[in-house]
Amino acid sequence: MPEQENAPVLSVKDWMITILLMAIPIVNIVLLFVWAFSKNENPSKSNYAKASLIWAAIGLVLYLIFVVILFGTVMSSLNT
């Protein structure tokens, strides 16, 4: 944990670039994995990437549940 105490604070410019890169499709997913699991990345950016991936996983699970329920409802209404 000592390296986290000595990690530099990310500047506004660094966060602006990060947010810009997160707006690019496909690139954002790749960068989130790189930032989350890279040993040399700033701990703040690494934690941000991990939290974003967790939220994306939660959203994906909720979406899949919704699609399965919707599909089941549509299929059951077609069978009657």
Side-chain angles (χ1 to χ4, degrees):
M1 293 267 195
E3 66 256 5
Q4 287 185 351
E5 293 174 9
N6 296 331
V9 174
L10 292 173
S11 67
V12 172
K13 178 181 131 189
D14 292 333
W15 282 116
M16 293 292 290
I17 292 170
T18 300
I19 293 168
L20 176 67
L21 292 173
M22 290 297 99
I24 303 171
I26 311 257
V27 172
N28 57 5
I29 297 168
V30 172
L31 285 177
L32 283 176
F33 279 101
V34 170
W35 292 335
F37 302 112
S38 175
K39 299 293 183 198
N40 297 328
E41 194 57 55
N42 186 296
S44 294
K45 193 180 282 189
S46 179
N47 288 335
Y48 166 77
K50 289 173 188 171
S52 294
L53 288 172
I54 290 169
W55 276 116
I58 291 169
L60 181 63
V61 167
L62 291 175
Y63 174 76
L64 290 175
I65 290 170
F66 176 75
V67 167
V68 167
I69 291 171
L70 183 65
F71 181 73
T73 304
V74 169
M75 293 307 288
S76 69
S77 69
L78 291 177
N79 289 335
T80 54

